[in-house]
Amino acid sequence: DSAEKAQEAGRLLEQSRKEQSYQDAQALMDERDYSAAAEAFAALGDYSDSAAKAKEARRMQQMEADYQAAQALLDAKDYSGAAKAFESLGDYGNSAEKAQTAQALLDVRNARAELANRAYDSILEPYWGVVPARSCITDINEDGIPELILVTDKAVSIEYDGSIIDSRRYAYSVYTYGDNGVEALITERVTPLSPASGCWITIGVGHVDGMPRLVAMYKGETTGNFFGDSDYEAGIDVQA
């Protein structure tokens, strides 16, 4: 009898220990420490529904990771990506609300981008058909709002052979669209290059050390090694 009683006492003690461990694991689950909860439930083996709880904890751990990834997209202002990511989470936490917020911010940004394009068209209208003028509308800093890069020729006075003479040089302007409409980031910054017959400018955007850099290439179509010559190229020192 004593042996049976001792055995029963040991069984009850083990049952109590497992139940306490189960409750501790559930507390971790309630605190959303899903990684620790999954390990704690898995350690309980086949006790009660521990196996199912461990599986659920791992699922919730993945959901939380996906939620944090979606939040990172929202913080980075990738509203389109964030909206899709939160939508895929269904009713997890406040994902539905976050998806609506991301979509609303995307709609606002898209509307502003459309206003920007219309405003830039108004700026460019006087230059339509003007051969020396070149323009490029592109999202330089990848924030969803395009910028306008405009390259034109400008009358300047330069020193040449000890004298001041009138000349023309390419100049560039960069515009963005902010809360108050069009804003000039750079206005008619003069470059060393002069407009030349048979040459044209191509404008683009690159990145140097992670920062946006405008690139304007000046290229000729005839022969030789100077302005207007075959394969002649010169970079305009353009930064914004």
Side-chain angles (χ1 to χ4, degrees), residues 53-125:
K53 286 280 190 177
K55 183 177 180 180
E56 176 65 10
R58 285 191 290 270
R59 186 183 75 84
M60 295 300 289
Q61 181 182 6
Q62 184 59 55
M63 293 284 282
E64 179 63 19
D66 292 344
Y67 180 93
Q68 294 303 326
Q71 183 62 50
L73 291 173
L74 186 60
D75 293 341
K77 299 184 179 180
D78 181 355
Y79 301 134
S80 178
K84 293 176 183 177
F86 280 120
E87 285 174 2
S88 70
L89 288 169
D91 59 358
Y92 179 76
N94 62 346
S95 294
E97 179 184 346
K98 289 278 190 174
Q100 292 178 351
T101 297
Q103 186 60 52
L105 290 170
L106 178 62
D107 291 343
V108 169
R109 187 169 67 186
N110 287 342
R112 176 172 286 189
E114 179 61 28
L115 290 173
N117 283 311
R118 292 180 184 177
Y120 297 156
D121 283 344
S122 297
I123 293 175
L124 293 174
E125 186 174 0

Side-chain angles (χ1 to χ4, degrees), residues 16-33:
S16 176
R17 184 191 67 77
K18 286 187 175 181
E19 179 60 25
Q20 183 59 55
S21 296
Y22 182 94
Q23 294 302 324
D24 291 343
Q26 185 60 52
L28 291 171
M29 190 80 155
D30 295 340
E31 294 169 2
R32 300 175 65 176
D33 188 349

Side-chain angles (χ1 to χ4, degrees), residues 136 138-142 147 149 172 174 185-186 189 191-192 202-217 234-240:
C136 177
T138 185
D139 186 0
I140 295 175
N141 56 358
E142 300 177 347
E147 280 72 40
I149 308 163
Y172 65 93
V174 181
L185 300 176
I186 298 175
R189 184 175 294 174
T191 77
T202 301
I203 305 171
V205 176
H207 288 79
V208 177
D209 295 330
M211 299 298 293
R213 180 183 179 92
L214 308 186
V215 179
M217 294 305 299
I236 296 179
D237 185 15
V238 180
Q239 298 184 47

Side-chain angles (χ1 to χ4, degrees), residues 134 170 196-202 217-222 232:
R134 293 290 184 271
Y170 277 114
S197 176
C199 294
W200 69 93
I201 282 183
T202 301
M217 294 305 299
Y218 191 73
K219 186 168 183 176
E221 60 182 5
T222 56
Y232 176 85

Side-chain angles (χ1 to χ4, degrees), residues 174-195:
V174 181
Y175 303 90
T176 191
Y177 196 88
D179 294 335
N180 299 315
V182 175
E183 301 173 3
L185 300 176
I186 298 175
T187 303
E188 292 190 326
R189 184 175 294 174
V190 178
T191 77
L193 297 182
S194 301

